[in-house]
Amino acid sequence: MTQPQRPADEVVDLVSALIRFDTTNTGNPDTTRGEAECARWVADRLEAVGYQTVYVESGAPGRGNVFARLAGADPGRGALMIHGHLDVVPAEAADWSVHPFSGAVTDGYVWGRGAVDMKNMVGMMIAVARWLKRAGVVPPRDLVFAFVADEEAGGTFGCKWLVENRPDLFDRVTEAVGEVGGFSLTVPRRDGGDRRLYLIETAEKGMQWMRLTARRPAGHGSFVHDDNAVTALAEAVAKLGRHRFPLVLTDAVGEFLAAVAEETGHTFDPASPDLDGMVAKLGPIGRIVGATLHDTANPTMLSAGYKANVIPASAEAVIDCRVLPGRRAAFERELDELLGPGIEREWITELPPYETTFDGDLVDAMNTALIAADPESRIVPYMLSGGTDAKHFARLGIRCFGFTPLRLPPELDFAALFHGVDERIPVDSLVFGTEVLTSFLQNC
């Protein structure tokens, strides 16, 4: 079999094959599947070109993770980790134009669950790692390729377990790159034409999933019942769901808006009562950026009752809270004021926010690699409204960035593809990203 001459020659096939592994993470370990099989397949691809891999199951059977290290020229430098998760969120096949686990390559795209989140990056990692090994490239420092489980459910059976139980896997790792950043945003320039900004993730909101419980006397559904647990919970959830938390402009968001203003001539006045409206004019990316101007608390699950004519003694709701760096205490005070007495709340998942500065040699290396592939590019920092495994790696003192380089068509609503129906990634974007990643890892 002819070996590919460059990493980009095999990246599409790798991403397609990865998507065909159904690694659906339901959040329930009993129904989550596929990670071990996919992880062993990744290990086989790496071992075929000479890597020694470490396969680890993280805290539960089948939660497969694979690590491989490529020795660098300077063992005294801290290692760089390149990480990607193998699990994906569920997909309903009936809603899709193609089967979500087909990995179909058509109309210039690779289709399927995980094409964007994040088997695109996993495929690029494998392609580049294989090429570096075959070509005998010695990078400036050690590279650690990490393929991990359970990111989509917060990493309890993935990076959280690995950080707590196998810190040896991260020996001498000081920096890391992964999702969600490095993708292009095309904006109109003030002097005409367009400019591609590549968004590097330097910060992300904290993730706190909260359970609310109302407890009231049970009763017969035919009686007048002024103290109803379902009613009390519904009122609290509605109040919380409609609430707008105060605007807070973090460093990462401020730097992002300043860069967009410089390129486009638009103004983003932090003192304006309509800053949200100004950000919304950015188009689809405005949904992500807009969500990083405030804390958010979105009701996502409701549970109450067991029979139509029985008023239950309790009712529960789950709220997805995303909290800006430095806002935890103020956020909790505001929650308590909104909910008032009679509604119990408890955190069921807590992952802290993360932020780093937009500077240093690694940022310079990202910029150099992107400019070499796209001379009209400019890198800018931004904050992710969601969360990644960076939250866990930061506990080991690892400095993390979102850098999955992709040059995207201006018309593509990239943000909508995360966890969306008909998730897909342009073939050209995969080729571009693989070439950028190859250059970056040889000069990091």
Side-chain angles (χ1 to χ4, degrees):
M1 182 176 178
T2 302
Q3 295 284 2
Q5 297 300 306
R6 57 191 185 119
D9 292 340
E10 64 174 347
V11 68
V12 171
D13 289 340
L14 288 168
V15 173
S16 177
L18 285 160
I19 290 170
R20 291 196 294 273
F21 287 95
D22 181 351
T23 54
T24 297
N25 188 343
T26 63
N28 179 350
D30 294 333
T31 55
T32 293
R33 56 184 178 266
E35 289 169 327
E37 183 184 7
C38 186
R40 293 190 186 281
W41 181 88
V42 171
D44 288 344
R45 304 283 81 71
L46 298 176
E47 290 170 3
V49 296
Y51 282 97
Q52 292 184 342
T53 66
V54 178
Y55 174 83
V56 180
E57 294 197 344
S58 44
R63 310 315 295 263
N65 306 265
V66 171
F67 288 77
R69 186 180 289 254
L70 182 63
D74 184 355
R77 286 186 63 191
L80 173 67
M81 179 168 62
I82 309 93
H83 60 94
H85 62 83
L86 301 176
D87 61 322
V88 298
V89 296
E92 290 290 338
D95 298 333
W96 286 57
S97 300
V98 301
H99 194 282
F101 297 105
S102 66
V105 182
T106 184
D107 298 328
Y109 287 81
V110 183
W111 297 67
R113 179 58 85 219
V116 165
D117 187 11
M118 65 171 298
K119 290 179 177 177
N120 58 346
M121 178 60 163
V122 172
M124 290 193 288
M125 289 167 59
I126 298 169
V128 175
R130 281 165 54 87
W131 181 84
L132 291 172
K133 194 70 168 179
R134 286 195 309 265
V137 173
V138 179
R141 54 172 163 166
D142 283 9
L143 303 179
V144 175
F145 295 93
F147 305 85
V148 300
D150 198 37
E151 190 276 344
E152 295 292 1
T156 299
F157 293 101
C159 287
K160 182 177 186 294
W161 187 95
L162 293 166
V163 164
E164 293 174 353
N165 294 276
R166 291 296 305 272
D168 57 295
L169 295 169
F170 309 98
D171 180 44
R172 296 186 297 107
V173 172
T174 57
E175 295 175 303
V177 296
E179 59 175 355
V180 177
F183 58 91
S184 67
L185 169 67
T186 302
V187 298
R189 301 181 69 162
R190 67 171 70 205
D191 56 355
D194 292 329
R195 183 70 175 269
R196 275 181 297 279
L197 306 179
Y198 287 85
L199 280 56
I200 310 299
E201 187 213 312
T202 59
E204 55 190 56
K205 296 171 81 173
M207 181 179 80
Q208 281 89 245
W209 292 344
M210 177 175 65
R211 180 182 290 113
L212 301 181
T213 305
R215 303 184 195 278
R216 302 290 191 273
H220 198 290
S222 68
F223 296 164
V224 174
H225 208 89
D226 293 329
D227 197 16
N228 186 317
V230 176
T231 304
L233 181 77
E235 289 172 344
V237 168
K239 183 188 295 185
L240 186 56
R242 295 191 182 102
H243 181 69
R244 178 59 63 93
F245 289 86
L247 187 149
V248 176
L249 195 64
T250 60
D251 290 344
V253 178
E255 290 179 61
F256 169 80
L257 293 177
V260 173
E262 182 181 333
E263 295 292 343
T264 65
H266 297 323
T267 57
F268 300 96
D269 182 2
S272 170
D274 190 37
L275 181 59
D276 289 287
M278 298 173 188
V279 168
K281 294 177 182 177
L282 291 172
I285 195 65
R287 291 199 298 275
I288 294 178
V289 178
T292 61
L293 296 174
H294 308 264
D295 303 321
T296 57
N298 287 312
T300 55
M301 299 174 69
L302 291 168
S303 176
Y306 53 89
K307 197 171 186 293
N309 63 348
V310 177
I311 294 172
S314 65
E316 294 185 350
V318 173
I319 314 295
D320 185 350
C321 303
R322 307 292 173 130
V323 184
L324 292 164
R327 276 278 304 169
R328 175 65 181 268
F331 177 76
E332 291 204 38
R333 286 195 299 270
E334 201 161 342
L335 278 181
D336 290 338
E337 291 173 5
L338 283 166
L339 296 172
I343 301 293
E344 302 170 15
R345 68 173 177 84
E346 62 174 323
W347 300 117
I348 53 178
T349 296
E350 296 187 73
L351 294 174
Y354 174 76
E355 59 183 339
T356 187
T357 53
F358 186 58
D359 56 17
D361 292 343
L362 197 67
V363 172
D364 292 342
M366 295 177 199
N367 188 50
T368 298
L370 279 166
I371 287 178
D374 185 356
E376 293 300 311
S377 66
R378 174 181 177 178
I379 62 172
V380 298
Y382 92 110
M383 174 182 285
L384 180 66
S385 58
T388 74
D389 283 327
K391 297 178 184 301
H392 300 297
F393 297 137
R395 295 168 58 193
L396 296 176
I398 298 172
R399 189 184 187 203
C400 300
F401 295 90
F403 185 63
T404 298
L406 297 168
R407 178 171 170 170
L408 300 169
E411 67 278 6
L412 182 67
D413 187 351
F414 187 59
L417 297 177
F418 285 85
H419 299 188
V421 171
D422 284 344
E423 185 179 349
R424 61 198 183 277
I425 189 73
V427 167
D428 289 346
S429 298
L430 287 174
V431 171
F432 174 87
T434 305
E435 292 173 346
V436 171
L437 195 62
T438 303
S439 173
F440 169 68
L441 294 182
Q442 291 180 87
N443 299 280
C444 61

